[in-house]
C-alpha cells in the first residue's frame, strides 16, 4: 500500500440504467479508444489496438491457409471509377470524403477516400487478368476506409474504421458462390472460436444487400441490449462489376469471358461486438484468445516472505506461454489493482501473498464467473491453459444462452412491435421477402430484416406481416 | 516440357544502359508493384507486399521488445492542427491532399490526409498526459500517408506510401535523445541484418532536417548507380511540438512541464532500396530473410523415376522451416522456370531430376553468386539453412564492397563535381555546416549533404568548399 492510495471508482453506468452510456463508459475508462478532434473519427488506443492485432493475426492466417495473398491498393479513387457500377455509386457517393486539392492546386478530377475498394481493384484486375490460367485471383488488403457518417459511436459506426477487404475473381458462378460462403464460414469461426461470440449466418434481403452485389451473406450477433450487430459480410458480386469494368479473360474454349467476383470484409466493429456481448457492470470481460493481457499477476505484501522473488519467477515462467502482466506498482493497493484489472476484463488474475508462498500455492480469479480457486504453484502454468479454454467455452455458452433467451417467434406485426418495445431481441418469423413489406416493417419501428438464416424453420406458409405466401423464415431485430 | 512452351524473355534493360529503366523493368516484370489510375499512387502487388509484411514482422517485434505499443490515429487532420507548429506547416502544407467535402456537404474546415501524424498525435497526447508517472509514452502506428509529389517512382517516392511512425514523450532531453538514437540503431540493424543493406548513420544538416525537429538522424544507403537513398529517419523533436500543443505534465517537483518528444519512421522505400542495392541484370536478388519465397523447388522430368513423389516429400519437409514454393506447372519448361525464378530473385533453387533421385541428391542453385552445388537429399534441409545465412552474409559483404568502392575523399568543390559526373557515389569531406555553403553546393549540381556521420574522420581543419573553419566531416551525394 503506497502513500498516494486512492479509492478505486470505476464510475461505469449500470447497463440496465442506460446501455449506451454503459458502453461509452466502458470503452473510455478501459482505455480502448478516445474521441479525436475530427467529428466521427476515433483514436484506437494501445489496449484496443492490441485486440485488433490479435484478430488480424488469427484471420490473416486463415486467409493465407485458404490461398489468399495480401496486397495494397491506393487510398484515393477517381470519381469516374466510383461511377462505373450504377448501384454501387448510388449506395456510396452520399457518404464519401472528397479530396479536391493536392497541395495548392485544384485537381482536375475529384478523388474520394476509399469507402471500400471494389472499383479501384476492378480497374487493376481488368489490366492484370488475361487467361483462365490466371484464375482464381485471391487477394485481400488490411487498411482503413472512410464513410461520412452523421451519427457515430466508437467501433460500431465511425467515419473511419480499420478492416480487411477480400476481393476475388473466379471462372464460374459456383466457384464464386463457394468462395463467398467459405469466407463467411471463416468469419463465423472467428466470431465463435476467437471472440466467443455466437452468430446467426444467412442471406441479406434485397434491400439490405451491398450496393452492387448479386447476393450478400452476413453474420449477425445479438448484443446485451437485444439489438443486433452485423458483424461481417461476404458478397457474391456475380458479374456486375466485372462487366462494368470490362474485366475479361480468354477461356479454355478460346472465348473472352467476364469472371465471377466476390468481396468480403470485417472491421474493428468486431471489437464493439465483443464488448456488448460479454461486458458487465464491472466493465469489460475479454475473451481469452484476444485479450491483450490474458493473465495478470498481483503480488500481495510484495516485500514480505520472498513474495516478489517468487512472483518474478512465476512471471518469467508464464510469459513463455501466455500474454502476462506483472502489476508491481507500489502506489496502488492490491484491492485497487483487482478492481482495475476486472474493469479491463483480464480473464485470469493470479494473487500471491506471503501465506500463499508458505503453502506453495496461489489464488486464481476468473473474470467471467468472478470465482476464485487455489492452485499449487507447480501446477499453475498448466491450470492457466485449461482455465483459459474453460473461460472461452463458458463465455461462448453464456452468450448463446443470452441470445436464445432473447430470441422469439411471432405470428404478426403487432406482436413483433410489442415485443421489441418490452424485451428487444431476435424475432423469427415467416416472411414474403417483398420490398414493400420490408419497408412497412422498418417504417416507424426501426426493425429490419437481419437475414434469411441458413438454418431454416418452417413456421407456416404465409408472411407473418402481410399474409402473402412465404417460403422462408427471417430474423428481425433493431440493429446497430 | 509442355506443349505451350514459350521462350523466356525477361526484357530487362541492362543497368549500365539505363539504370532508371532497369529499375522500372525489374519492379514491373517481377510483379512487385503496378501503376494505378491515380497519378503518383502505386498498387503494391502480392509479391511486393509480402516483402513489406516480412519487414513489418521483424520491426514490429523489435519495437515491442523495446517497450513500444501500437495504436491508430485518424487519417484526416484539421487544417488548424497542422498549423500549430510553424516550421512543420511550412514544410508540409505545400504537399498535402485536402478533403473539402463529406458526402454532399462542404466542410466548415478543410481536413488534410495525414502526411505524417505529429500534429494529431500531439493533440491527443495533450489530453492524455497528466503526471510524470505516465511517462514515457512509447507509441507507434503502421499506416499509409499521403504527400502530393510532382515526380514519383514506385517505392522510392510516391504520393501515398506505407510506413510506420513512432511518437514518444519523455521526461528529459537525455531520455529523448537516447530514444532517438535507439530507434535509429534498430533501423540500422533492420537494414543490415534483415535486408543485407549496409548504411551510414549520422545527423542531418539544418537544411535537411525534419520540419519542426530539433535534430534529425538518418541512415543512408548507396545504390548501384552511386546515388544515395535516405532509408530511415529518427527525430529528436525537443519541446517544439509539446510547447506548440501545450502538452504538459505535473513533475515530481510539483511543477507543470513540457515533455521531450521524438518521432521516427521507415517506409516501403526500403523495398526500393533493397532492389537497387542487390539487383542485377537478370532482375531481383532478394535478401533471404525477407524473400517471400526463400526456396523454389523445380522438378525436372517430373513424371519419370518417382521425381514428383520425392519432390512432394521434400516440399513438405522444407515447408516446416522455410518459405518454399513447388513449381509444378506443366506448361513451362524447367529452363523457363529457372529464368523466371532468377528474375524474381529467389535466393535458392532446388533442382531434382530422375538422375538425382537415383543418386540420392539434388542440385542447389544460389541466386547471389549463380553457383550450383550438389547435396545429398538427407542433408538438404540443414544445408538450406546454412546456405540462406551464407547468402545473406555474402550479399551484405558485396554491398559493403560496392559502397566502399564508390566512396571517395575530396579536397574541393571542383573535384566533387567532377567525381559526381564520372563516377557518382558517396563523397567524404570536411564541411563548415553553414547553410549558405550547403545551398551553393546543391545549386546546379543536385549534390546534397547526406549526413554528418557518427563515425568521424578528421580530414583537415577547413571546409573543403568554402575554406571556413570546419569541425566535422560530412557525406555528400546525389540522392533519391
Amino acid at each position: 500500500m503506497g502513500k498516494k492510495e486512492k479509492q478505486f471508482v470505476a464510475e461505469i453506468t449500470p447497463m440496465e440504467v442506460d446501455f449506451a452510456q454503459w458502453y461509452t463508459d466502458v470503452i473510455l475508462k478501459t482505455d480502448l479508444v478516445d474521441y479525436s478532434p475530427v467529428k466521427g473519427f476515433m483514436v484506437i488506443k494501445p489496449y484496443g489496438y492490441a485486440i485488433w492485432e490479435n484478430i488480424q493475426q488469427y484471420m490473416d492466417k486463415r486467409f493465407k491457409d485458404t490461398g489468399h495473398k495480401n496486397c495494397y491498393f491506393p487510398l484515393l479513387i477517381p470519381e469516374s471509377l466510383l461511377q462505373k457500377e450504377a448501384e454501387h455509386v448510388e449506395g456510396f457517393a452520399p457518404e464519401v470524403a472528397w479530396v479536391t486539392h493536392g497541395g495548392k492546386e485544384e485537381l482536375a478530377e475529384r478523388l474520394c477516400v476509399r469507402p471500400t475498394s471494389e472499383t479501384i481493384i476492378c480497374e487493376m484486375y481488368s489490366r492484370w487478368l488475361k487467361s483462365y490460367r490466371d484464375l482464381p485471383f485471391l487477394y485481400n488488403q488490411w487498411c482503413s476506409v472512410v464513410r461520412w457518417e452523421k451519427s457515430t459511436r466508437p467501433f460500431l459506426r465511425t467515419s473511419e474504421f480499420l478492416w480487411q477487404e477480400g476481393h476475388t475473381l473466379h471462372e464460374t458462378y459456383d466457384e464464386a458462390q463457394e468462395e463467398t460462403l467459405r469466407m463467411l464460414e471463416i468469419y463465423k469461426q472467428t466470431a465463435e472460436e476467437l471472440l466467443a461470440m455466437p452468430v446467426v449466418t444467412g442471406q441479406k434481403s434485397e434491400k439490405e444487400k451491398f450496393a452492387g452485389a448479386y447476393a450478400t451473406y452476413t453474420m449477425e450477433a445479438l448484443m446485451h441490449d437485444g439489438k443486433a450487430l452485423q458483424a461481417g459480410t461476404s458478397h457474391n458480386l456475380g458479374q456486375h462489376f466485372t462487366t462494368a469494368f470490362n474485366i475479361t479473360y480468354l477461356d479454355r474454349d478460346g472465348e473472352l469471358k467476364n469472371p465471377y467476383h466476390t468481396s468480403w470484409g470485417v472491421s474493428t466493429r468486431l471489437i464493439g461486438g465483443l464488448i456488448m456481448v460479454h461486458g458487465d457492470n464491472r466493465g469489460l470481460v475479454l475473451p481469452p484468445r484476444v485479450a491483450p493481457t490474458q493473465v495478470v499477476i498481483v503480488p500481495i505484501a510484495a516485500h514480505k516472505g520472498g513474495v516478489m522473488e517468487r512472483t518474478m519467477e512465476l512471471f518469467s515462467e508464464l510469459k513463455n506461454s501466455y500474454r502476462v502482466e506483472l502489476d508491481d506498482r507500489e502506489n496502488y493497493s492490491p484491492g485497487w489493482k483487482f478492481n482495475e484489472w476486472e474493469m479491463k476484463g483480464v480473464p485470469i488474475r493470479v494473487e500471491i501473498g506471503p501465506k500463499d508462498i508458505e503453502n506453495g500455492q496461489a489464488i486464481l480469479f476468473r473474470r467471467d464467473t468472478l470465482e476464485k480457486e487455489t492452485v499449487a504453484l507447480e501446477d499453475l502454468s498448466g491450470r492457466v491453459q485449461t482455465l483459459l479454454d474453460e473461460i472461452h467455452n463458458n463465455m461462448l455458452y453464456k452468450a448463446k444462452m443470452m441470445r436464445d433467451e432473447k430470441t422469439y417467434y411471432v405470428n404478426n406485426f403487432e406482436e413483433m412491435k410489442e415485443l421489441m418495445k418490452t424485451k428487444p431481441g431476435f424475432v423469427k418469423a415467416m416472411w414474403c421477402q417483398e420490398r414493400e413489406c420490408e419497408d412497412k416493417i422498418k417504417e416507424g419501428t426501426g426493425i429490419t430484416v437481419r437475414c434469411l438464416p441458413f438454418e431454416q424453420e418452417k413456421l407456416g406458409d404465409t408472411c407473418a406481416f402481410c399474409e402473402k405466401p412465404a417460403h422462408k423464415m427471417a430474423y428481425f431485430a433493431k440493429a446497430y
Side-chain angles (χ1 to χ4, degrees), chain A:
Chain A
M1 310 243 291
K3 44 199 162 159
K4 286 213 179 186
E5 188 183 337
K6 297 175 284 187
Q7 176 99 41
F8 183 90
V9 187
E11 288 172 346
I12 292 173
T13 306
M15 58 172 78
E16 300 77 15
V17 173
D18 182 343
F19 191 79
Q21 191 59 48
W22 169 83
Y23 179 79
T24 303
D25 287 348
V26 168
I27 57 173
L28 294 180
K29 286 177 196 297
T30 59
D31 274 335
L32 290 178
V33 79
D34 200 358
Y35 298 108
S36 86
V38 191
K39 199 181 156 295
F41 285 67
M42 62 179 164
V43 174
I44 307 182
K45 297 178 82 171
Y47 199 56
Y49 197 83
I51 297 176
W52 182 238
E53 287 182 305
N54 290 333
I55 294 173
Q56 279 190 301
Q57 200 176 13
Y58 175 94
M59 299 195 82
D60 199 67
K61 181 165 188 333
R62 298 299 306 270
F63 297 160
K64 285 176 177 157
D65 287 347
T66 45
H68 302 85
K69 292 184 174 180
N70 288 330
C71 38
Y72 187 77
F73 293 87
L75 172 71
L76 303 180
I77 301 174
E79 186 165 16
S80 56
L81 274 191
L82 193 69
Q83 289 170 338
K84 277 200 175 180
E85 209 288 331
E87 285 182 19
H88 188 73
V89 65
E90 198 186 316
F92 282 102
E95 58 178 46
V96 298
W98 291 105
V99 171
T100 57
H101 291 73
K104 292 188 175 164
E105 284 171 30
E106 185 166 356
L107 304 179
E109 180 183 9
R110 297 199 300 178
L111 304 170
C112 79
V113 183
R114 65 178 160 232
T116 179
S117 301
E118 278 75 10
T119 55
I120 184 87
I121 290 179
C122 281
E123 174 68 17
M124 298 313 299
Y125 282 1
S126 76
R127 304 180 189 188
W128 296 346
L129 182 62
K130 307 285 182 213
S131 151
Y132 71 93
R133 288 183 192 278
D134 303 330
L135 293 171
F137 277 11
L138 301 174
Y139 301 138
N140 175 66
Q141 80 174 352
W142 294 94
C143 63
S144 84
V145 290
V146 169
R147 298 177 186 176
W148 218 256
E149 300 280 359
K150 295 229 183 304
S151 158
T152 58
R153 200 179 299 181
F155 294 125
L156 299 175
R157 189 172 297 278
T158 44
S159 289
E160 182 189 16
F161 55 88
L162 302 180
W163 80 342
Q164 61 69 218
E165 46 178 326
H167 296 267
T168 70
L169 295 182
H170 306 266
E171 275 188 81
T172 66
Y173 172 86
D174 285 349
E175 280 177 45
Q177 179 67 4
E178 200 181 302
E179 168 81 2
T180 308
L181 297 181
R182 178 186 303 121
M183 301 324 287
L184 188 72
E185 181 59 27
I186 287 179
Y187 288 171
K188 183 180 179 173
Q189 288 167 9
T190 302
E192 299 189 347
E193 292 175 13
L194 191 72
L195 309 178
M197 182 169 83
V199 291
V200 172
T201 50
Q203 188 172 352
K204 282 286 181 193
S205 66
E206 283 299 299
K207 180 186 166 82
E208 298 283 336
K209 75 179 187 188
F210 178 76
Y214 174 79
T216 288
Y217 300 87
T218 181
M219 64 174 179
E220 303 278 328
L222 197 66
M223 306 295 108
H224 260 310
D225 62 347
K227 283 170 79 175
L229 185 78
Q230 177 181 305
T233 48
S234 186
H235 316 294
N236 182 336
L237 301 168
Q239 295 170 310
H240 294 185
F241 287 86
T242 63
T243 309
F245 283 82
N246 197 27
I247 306 177
T248 57
Y249 67 96
L250 200 62
D251 202 357
R252 293 161 205 273
D253 57 11
E255 301 278 319
L256 269 188
K257 293 181 185 164
N258 298 115
Y260 293 84
H261 179 206
T262 85
S263 72
W264 26 275
V266 298
S267 74
T268 36
R269 188 169 233 219
L270 285 176
I271 299 174
L274 69 89
I275 295 166
M276 293 196 293
V277 165
H278 300 302
D280 64 21
N281 285 338
R282 294 179 186 222
L284 292 173
V285 182
L286 292 179
R289 294 171 192 164
V290 286
T293 301
Q294 299 175 303
V295 180
V296 61
I297 306 175
V298 180
I300 294 160
H303 298 297
K304 288 188 194 157
V307 168
M308 205 57 214
E309 294 70 15
R310 195 72 186 91
T311 304
M312 294 291 288
E313 283 171 32
L314 279 173
F315 177 56
S316 301
E317 184 191 343
L318 293 176
K319 238 185 358 182
N320 297 324
S321 311
Y322 313 103
R323 298 187 288 272
V324 191
E325 289 276 346
L326 169 60
D327 187 351
D328 55 1
R329 290 176 294 176
E330 299 205 341
N331 53 324
Y332 294 97
S333 71
W336 202 99
K337 294 177 183 176
F338 292 177
N339 284 319
E340 190 185 37
W341 292 110
E342 281 171 33
M343 182 179 77
K344 296 196 91 163
V346 173
I348 297 176
R349 179 175 73 230
V350 179
E351 307 169 9
I352 307 181
K355 277 254 169 72
D356 299 310
I357 301 286
E358 269 176 39
N359 299 328
Q361 66 183 37
I363 311 293
L364 295 190
F365 169 85
R366 53 189 279 189
R367 177 64 180 88
D368 62 329
T369 60
L370 308 176
E371 291 168 348
K372 286 189 177 188
E373 64 181 68
T374 304
V375 181
L377 286 177
E378 66 263 31
D379 301 335
L380 188 65
S381 183
R383 178 60 188 141
V384 164
Q385 183 56 64
T386 55
L387 192 52
L388 288 172
D389 284 335
E390 278 173 46
I391 293 172
H392 174 88
N393 293 336
N394 178 54
M395 287 175 68
L396 181 59
Y397 175 79
K398 268 168 68 178
K400 275 188 179 150
M401 286 290 116
M402 185 269 283
R403 181 192 65 187
D404 292 349
E405 276 167 24
K406 291 183 202 286
T407 301
Y408 316 102
Y409 295 94
V410 300
N411 295 309
N412 59 57
F413 194 23
E414 289 312 311
E415 266 182 45
M416 180 161 79
K417 281 193 287 189
E418 188 53 32
L419 251 175
M420 288 296 190
K421 272 183 211 153
T422 53
K423 35 180 194 172
F426 273 145
V427 163
K428 295 183 190 179
M430 293 306 287
W431 182 50
C432 63
Q433 301 181 58
E434 301 219 355
R435 177 63 180 261
E436 199 189 348
C437 181
E438 188 172 5
D439 285 341
K440 260 193 202 155
I441 291 168
K442 187 171 182 181
E443 211 179 279
T445 67
I447 300 165
T448 50
V449 181
R450 300 321 304 156
C451 69
L452 301 154
F454 295 137
E455 284 190 22
Q456 282 286 317
E457 297 166 44
K458 188 159 174 61
L459 306 174
D461 295 315
T462 55
C463 177
F465 312 103
C466 71
E467 295 182 9
K468 283 192 189 154
H471 307 292
K472 292 256 175 159
M473 180 188 82
Y475 274 82
F476 297 83
K478 292 192 181 184
Y480 279 95

